[in-house]
Amino acid sequence: MSTDHPAARRGASPSPVAITRTTNEDVRAQNLSAVLQLVHAAGAQSRSEIGAVTGLNRSTVTALVQELLDLRLVREESVKPTGRVGRPSLGVAADDDVVALSIVADPRAVSVALVGLGSAVHSRVRHDLASPPNPRRFAQVVSSLVDGMRADIDRHYRLVGAGVAVPGLVDSRGTVLLSPSLNWRREQLAHRLSDALRMPVAVGNDASVGAMAETHFGVARGVGNVLYLSGSMNGIGGGLVFDGSLLRGTSGFAGEFGHTVVNPAGSLCSCGRRGCLQVEVNPATVLALLGRRGLDEDELDIELGIVRDPVVLAEVARQVDVLSVALTNFVNAFAPEMVVLSGYLGVLLATSRERLSEAVRLHPVGSEGRTVRLERARMRSHLMQIAPAELAFEAVLNDPSAAASRL
């Protein structure tokens, strides 16, 4: 890894130039983070595999692994057979006794999962709601659910903190600026929950944290540039991963793809405009035509696979056509290697893969010179069980030594 990083700011006067020198200690911390992030995302790895992926030599890998073992952030376990004769070798895996709370805010339910490093889900609880909770009620429900888990956590685990996924606009400080489906405005959710739970709490947009988890553990793992789009009754959101990092934008607002106008004469959106993508492509209309209400992603897959009602099929085709236009525009704008569709959009992909694939493959400018893969999110319902926890694990993964000292 590079050992010096110029810190000159764009737009600043060229003189004097501030240079931040990276010390050996900084390099060691970066390498320690790289090893932990690898085993967190990829599972148990042999020391030789760690060296091959990170480019670090054998002695450096040995020293880093030993430090992570001493910090109790990794453990040794047998790795998959390589086909060679002899005893299985000991590999290095993330220690899933290091845990975070993974909390999802939804108008219909509050769910809390206990997730270990490496994405193991140890337990999960859910509280169904008759109506969307106000922030105070949400915090009360979360506190009650977590209180029921505390004895088990205190006895068996090392808790990092909590991550929360919210369907709405969330700034970098964990304030929910707007969540139409929850009817929240300017709610300092990170502060409220941190006080209630007595632990660090990070809050993010549900689609952005979903994008992060899908690139760490799902179909987009190892892909550097990804456009992720997720659809539900709450709307459409997304995330952009550029060179392996989530694009956050000003104050963390990047990825509001659902408010892209695709039909200026269309239905009114919660944002005040007409014809936003999330009102033109939404499961509510399809569910009403089917005469059904609470279908999850897998159940809707089955329904649309067998339906023969021409009215339902026509509505699905209309939504697919609108989505294909939007995907063409997004691919032109961001040139991803892969487009990942999740939730309801994944269902539409399953019903109309050829139509959507054609839009991504043929219509973008310069498409003859590049290949864009269109995939359905692999993690399905498991995604939002683990995705919010990634917000809480970020500090541990980025600076293992400092974070472990606080556990």
Side-chain angles (χ1 to χ4, degrees):
M1 294 188 178
S2 173
T3 58
D4 59 19
H5 299 272
R9 296 171 298 168
R10 290 183 182 176
S13 171
S15 180
V17 177
I19 301 294
T20 301
R21 299 194 181 279
T22 303
T23 65
N24 289 337
E25 183 64 21
D26 293 329
V27 173
R28 184 200 59 78
Q30 292 167 11
N31 290 339
L32 201 66
S33 171
V35 173
L36 184 58
Q37 290 189 43
L38 173 61
V39 297
H40 172 62
Q45 304 284 298
S46 69
R47 286 161 174 78
S48 61
E49 287 173 323
I50 292 172
V53 173
T54 62
L56 300 170
N57 63 44
R58 175 185 256 180
S59 61
T60 299
V61 169
T62 298
L64 293 169
V65 167
Q66 186 57 55
E67 183 170 354
L68 289 171
L69 286 167
D70 293 341
L71 293 170
R72 296 165 56 209
L73 296 176
V74 301
R75 58 166 59 122
E76 291 184 310
E77 63 180 48
S78 296
V79 295
K80 56 186 179 295
T82 61
R84 297 176 183 174
V85 176
R87 294 179 298 175
S89 61
L90 278 180
V92 181
D95 192 333
D96 62 10
D97 286 347
V98 178
V99 296
L101 295 172
S102 192
I103 303 169
V104 178
D106 186 272
R108 292 168 294 278
V110 177
S111 61
V112 179
L114 186 66
V115 181
L117 276 177
S119 78
V121 178
H122 295 298
S123 61
R124 181 172 181 254
V125 290
R126 173 187 168 104
H127 180 88
D128 291 324
L129 301 166
S131 59
N134 60 39
R136 184 170 176 270
R137 174 62 177 155
F138 175 74
Q140 289 173 340
V141 172
V142 170
S143 295
S144 177
L145 294 176
V146 172
D147 284 345
M149 307 169 80
R150 281 199 186 270
D152 187 50
I153 294 172
D154 292 343
R155 187 161 52 244
H156 299 293
Y157 302 108
R158 302 163 69 203
L159 183 62
V160 170
V164 187
V166 177
L169 198 60
V170 182
D171 72 13
S172 56
R173 295 174 302 231
T175 298
V176 181
L177 297 185
L178 176 64
S179 176
S181 62
L182 291 168
N183 197 26
W184 293 359
R185 288 178 180 272
R186 297 200 172 277
E187 166 57 29
Q188 295 180 349
L189 189 62
H191 180 72
R192 181 187 291 272
L193 281 182
S194 183
D195 284 349
L197 299 176
R198 302 183 304 281
M199 67 181 71
V201 174
V203 181
N205 169 266
D206 56 353
S208 293
V209 299
M212 187 164 55
E214 192 68 37
T215 56
H216 286 175
F217 306 107
V219 69
R221 189 164 73 83
V223 180
N225 296 282
V226 178
L227 168 63
Y228 171 91
L229 290 172
S230 178
S232 70
M233 296 286 285
N234 299 326
I236 291 175
L240 287 165
V241 176
F242 282 163
D243 296 329
S245 297
L246 185 68
L247 180 66
R248 301 184 185 277
T250 302
S251 300
F253 297 156
E256 288 297 316
F257 297 106
H259 294 291
T260 301
V261 175
V262 291
N263 178 13
S267 301
L268 185 66
C269 180
S270 60
C271 71
R273 293 180 293 183
R274 290 190 174 274
C276 287
L277 179 62
Q278 68 179 27
V279 295
E280 297 295 321
V281 179
N282 191 289
T285 307
V286 173
L287 289 172
L289 291 173
L290 289 170
R292 305 294 295 273
R293 292 185 64 189
L295 297 182
D296 64 21
E297 183 177 341
D298 294 329
E299 291 167 335
L300 189 53
D301 260 339
I302 295 170
E303 287 279 341
L304 293 184
I306 62 174
V307 69
R308 295 294 178 266
D309 185 335
V311 177
V312 176
L313 295 176
E315 174 60 18
V316 170
R318 183 196 69 80
Q319 293 196 23
V320 167
D321 285 344
V322 172
L323 180 59
S324 70
V325 171
L327 288 179
T328 300
N329 290 333
F330 297 154
V331 169
N332 276 332
F334 303 111
E337 299 169 62
M338 180 185 290
V339 175
V340 178
L341 300 183
S342 180
Y344 177 58
L345 303 187
V347 173
L348 293 183
L349 176 59
T351 65
S352 309
R353 176 172 282 277
E354 185 175 349
R355 174 72 183 92
L356 291 173
S357 296
E358 181 183 71
V360 170
R361 184 176 65 251
L362 298 180
H363 297 313
V365 174
S367 58
E368 68 280 357
R370 56 190 166 102
T371 300
V372 182
R373 292 170 55 193
L374 179 61
E375 300 287 353
R376 186 174 187 177
R378 180 181 296 163
M379 302 177 70
R380 306 288 181 87
S381 60
H382 190 60
L383 178 67
M384 291 315 294
Q385 292 179 29
I386 69 170
E390 290 297 287
L391 295 170
F393 283 137
E394 198 168 272
V396 177
L397 295 170
N398 289 341
D399 194 345
S401 293
S405 68
R406 297 190 292 268
L407 293 177

